[in-house]
Amino acid sequence: MAVLALAMTACSGGGSGSDSGEASGASSGDKPWDGDASEVDVVTWWEAGSEKEGLQALEGVFAEQHSDTEFVNAAIAGGGGSQAKQKLAADLATGNPPDTFQAHAGAEVTDYIDAGQIEDLSGLYDELGLKDAFPASLIDRLSMDGKIYSIPSNIHRANMVWANPSVLEQSGVDPQTPPATIDEWIADMEKVKAAGFTPITVGMAWTQTELLETILIADLGADGYTGLFDGTTKWDSEGVAKAIGHFKTMMSFTDSSLYSEDWEPAMQPVVDGKAAYNVMGDWAYLGLTTQGKTMGTDYIVFPAPGNEKVYDFLADSFTLPVGAKHPGGAKAWLETISSKEGQVAFNSVKGSIPARSDLSEDELSKFSDYQRGQMTAFQDDEIVSSIAHGAAVPVKVSNAINDAVMKFAQGASDEAGLQTALVDATASLSSK
Ligand code: GAL
């Protein structure tokens, strides 16, 4: 076993892979990932702010493992992929794909699979020894009719609250005791408001959807929430109406001047001591670390109330588009992002946890206590899929949900109107 493990590590760990620097000419071999490895054109949305640092960590490992392949950064700004996915859709439709692109594992990838735009990578999983490297629960979420179309670089948790302890104290709210329910949380927000601070901040549409999904998890429970995607929980149910009521109250506490901002500027008032709470995924850990902030003193973090034992999951993964010009370059990238070195270097910085479950204690020691805690949560908690980050629903559905939520925020905050819009936005899920 040990020998086999070592062999697998050597294989997935890269080195200057045998394919690197291969002669030009796309798809020169029988496998879709054989061919030109002179460069790799990588589309992500880790373009600005702290996110860029995460990508740079990965780039560093790539340069070591595949020095003959040039890394071409084709990142497109916009948290959650808000801009990247539109540009990608246009480029893929016109037959102008990058060599690899970031996509959320789960339902989001189905858009590209259904359109025949990405290659089945099951054979590459075998070649790189990845089927045993990732936990079975993740392989299940990645598989579509027995095939796997993307390789994950990380796992993130979306349903976390980032809070300013000093603002809470000044508002008479005990930072040591997070609220247990949404109603208790709203009561705390009232106190924050009375003390003259902004209770909670949100930014552009997807950040509002992320807040709504944590409220749905709290009000429906993990199973009820998951039922929203297979038709067992109805979008026109009482439970969803209750969540929308809570969402309306919380949105009334937000600062609407931030509604067009990306997640980092939308969270900044919390960092600056002007606001109390922000709901965001654990990429915020990197954002706060980059600003030199310390958990426990400068900020506190806890699962959203009612979400304590629920891990709202998403994973960034990378694909091989059909017709990529440098498939060998894409293979080299996929090898790096899935290698132990790549996963440790990237995730220890990014705030996420590694998708691989076979890291040694020495490798795991590179992670913060926060991340070690989230690794345990991923094993022990109930896992649900994020709407805002493509794990639960295809891109067109999450776009429609984002539109509905934004209309609600900018309009008259009509609860019944939002519920009807959500029913319409998700109609294609139950008709599948
Ligand atoms: C998510 C992505 C994360 C992080 C976040 C904010 O969709 O999975 O890695 O980048 O958006 O941009």
Side-chain angles (χ1 to χ4, degrees):
M1 272 313 282
V3 174
L4 180 65
L6 268 178
M8 279 167 52
T9 308
C11 178
S12 60
S16 54
S18 56
D19 53 316
S20 294
E22 221 170 273
S24 286
S27 47
S28 58
D30 354 313
K31 300 188 186 121
W33 47 86
D34 286 339
D36 190 344
S38 57
E39 65 176 69
V40 60
D41 190 14
V42 181
V43 170
T44 66
W45 52 88
W46 299 323
E47 199 272 343
S50 61
E51 312 237 76
K52 207 171 168 179
E53 287 199 18
L55 182 60
Q56 279 165 351
L58 215 39
E59 227 182 295
V61 178
F62 185 72
E64 275 169 30
Q65 292 185 346
H66 297 281
S67 54
D68 295 336
T69 303
E70 187 193 350
F71 172 82
V72 180
N73 189 348
I76 300 164
S82 44
Q83 304 302 317
K85 287 183 219 166
Q86 285 174 30
K87 166 111 179 26
L88 263 172
D91 286 350
L92 293 171
T94 53
N96 186 30
D99 297 320
T100 182
F101 64 87
Q102 176 184 1
H104 288 122
E108 186 173 300
V109 175
T110 58
D111 287 305
Y112 307 114
I113 299 172
D114 291 348
Q117 292 167 332
I118 53 174
E119 300 282 0
D120 170 18
L121 298 175
S122 313
L124 188 57
Y125 269 75
D126 292 331
E127 243 181 89
L128 300 178
L130 294 177
K131 285 196 176 136
D132 297 326
F134 299 124
S137 57
L138 181 58
I139 293 281
D140 276 358
R141 279 164 197 275
L142 289 163
S143 303
M144 188 65 54
D145 299 328
K147 296 177 178 166
I148 319 183
Y149 290 83
S150 68
I151 299 188
S153 51
N154 60 299
I155 294 173
H156 266 307
R157 180 172 181 174
N159 53 343
M160 301 302 293
V161 179
W162 307 81
N164 185 308
S166 160
V167 169
L168 294 179
E169 264 162 21
Q170 291 175 66
S171 308
V173 175
D174 178 10
Q176 309 300 328
T177 320
T181 63
I182 295 285
D183 287 326
E184 279 181 37
W185 196 20
I186 287 174
D188 286 349
M189 287 187 198
E190 296 282 6
K191 292 186 194 163
V192 173
K193 189 179 172 190
F197 299 100
T198 303
I200 180 166
T201 62
V202 290
M204 55 172 60
W206 68 265
T207 69
Q208 299 176 21
T209 299
E210 190 160 335
L211 172 62
L212 175 62
E213 79 185 47
T214 61
I215 300 172
L216 285 165
I217 294 167
D219 285 340
L220 299 171
D223 292 345
Y225 171 82
T226 298
L228 289 169
F229 314 115
D230 64 11
T232 52
T233 301
K234 301 292 174 212
W235 282 90
D236 59 4
S237 62
E238 282 292 306
V240 173
K242 180 180 172 192
I244 290 175
H246 281 143
F247 179 64
K248 179 176 176 166
T249 307
M250 286 199 207
M251 287 296 288
S252 75
F253 292 135
T254 62
D255 172 356
S256 60
S257 72
L258 297 170
Y259 288 177
S260 55
E261 299 289 352
D262 211 332
W263 69 270
E264 287 200 273
M267 181 180 245
Q268 198 58 31
V270 175
V271 183
D272 293 341
K274 295 181 179 143
Y277 304 110
N278 181 271
V279 170
M280 198 38 57
D282 43 21
W283 45 91
Y285 179 79
L286 170 57
L288 292 160
T289 307
T290 307
Q291 292 196 46
K293 301 294 172 190
T294 307
M295 188 180 287
T297 49
D298 297 322
Y299 69 94
I300 54 170
V301 56
F302 52 88
N307 287 238
E308 285 77 12
K309 297 299 286 174
V310 186
Y311 191 105
D312 188 17
F313 156 93
L314 63 125
D316 294 302
S317 63
F318 284 85
T319 57
L320 172 58
V322 171
K325 292 182 195 65
H326 310 97
K331 177 186 174 184
W333 177 253
L334 293 169
E335 199 171 346
T336 290
I337 61 123
S338 59
S339 69
K340 289 186 172 183
E341 296 85 342
Q343 297 238 327
V344 171
F346 177 59
N347 289 293
S348 56
V349 174
K350 182 84 164 60
S352 40
I353 61 172
R356 292 186 76 117
S357 50
D358 60 350
L359 299 181
S360 67
E361 192 44 46
D362 186 42
E363 285 156 337
L364 292 173
S365 68
K366 312 257 181 341
F367 289 84
S368 65
D369 289 348
Y370 171 78
Q371 289 162 301
R372 298 295 296 258
Q374 293 298 13
M375 289 177 204
T376 308
F378 184 70
Q379 273 168 15
D380 296 350
D381 291 2
E382 213 160 328
I383 300 176
V384 300
S385 294
S386 168
I387 300 172
H389 301 282
V393 295
V395 177
K396 52 185 169 311
V397 176
S398 59
N399 283 345
I401 293 176
N402 288 343
D403 288 348
V405 165
M406 187 44 100
K407 201 168 153 208
F408 178 79
Q410 288 174 339
S413 299
D414 166 18
E415 292 174 60
L418 175 56
Q419 192 156 10
T420 306
L422 292 175
V423 170
D424 293 346
T426 54
S428 59
L429 298 178
S430 39
S431 62
K432 272 210 159 184

